[in-house]
Amino acid sequence: QVQLVESGGGLVQPGGSLRLSCAASGSRFLFYAMGWYRQAPGKQRELVASITSDVTTNYADSVKGRFTISREIGKNTVYLQMNSLKPEDTAVYYCNMRVPSGPDRGYWGQGTQVTVTS
């Protein structure tokens, strides 16, 4: 019933910007944690940024100062503003949402591709 849809990925040059969106539907509850993860070919999925219901944020060291996660109040929707993109940011970016009564690992979106050329 719960579905997460990511959008906003694309191909950009180093130093460029993208804004990713994640909209969740089908949940009876507002989230208590949402986050962005990314996975590059041959690598493990890693946390990029997260935000909680009390608006506490957390970022991977590699993106601090460049990426910003935000939410829409009262909705299961989050964004990831990505500035000063680097080739090493190239990956599929996935949205995750944890809600009351939901699975411990949360729900996942299908991912959106971000490619940064050099």
Side-chain angles (χ1 to χ4, degrees), residues 1-4 24-28 97 107:
Q1 299 295 328
V2 176
Q3 183 178 13
L4 276 63
S25 62
S27 177
R28 179 181 178 86
M97 178 181 72
Y107 297 98

Side-chain angles (χ1 to χ4, degrees), residues 36-90:
W36 288 96
Y37 294 72
R38 67 186 181 188
Q39 187 169 21
K43 295 185 177 181
Q44 298 293 320
R45 187 172 299 186
E46 63 176 350
L47 175 68
V48 178
S50 64
I51 188 167
T52 60
S53 58
D54 64 352
V55 203
T56 299
T57 58
N58 186 46
Y59 297 92
D61 289 341
S62 60
V63 306
K64 286 182 178 178
R66 300 188 297 120
F67 291 10
T68 302
I69 189 170
S70 61
R71 62 172 293 182
E72 289 195 20
I73 299 175
K75 297 182 178 181
N76 289 328
T77 302
V78 295
Y79 305 94
L80 185 68
Q81 179 66 45
M82 305 186 295
N83 298 325
S84 302
L85 283 163
K86 304 175 180 179
E88 51 263 42
D89 294 319
T90 296

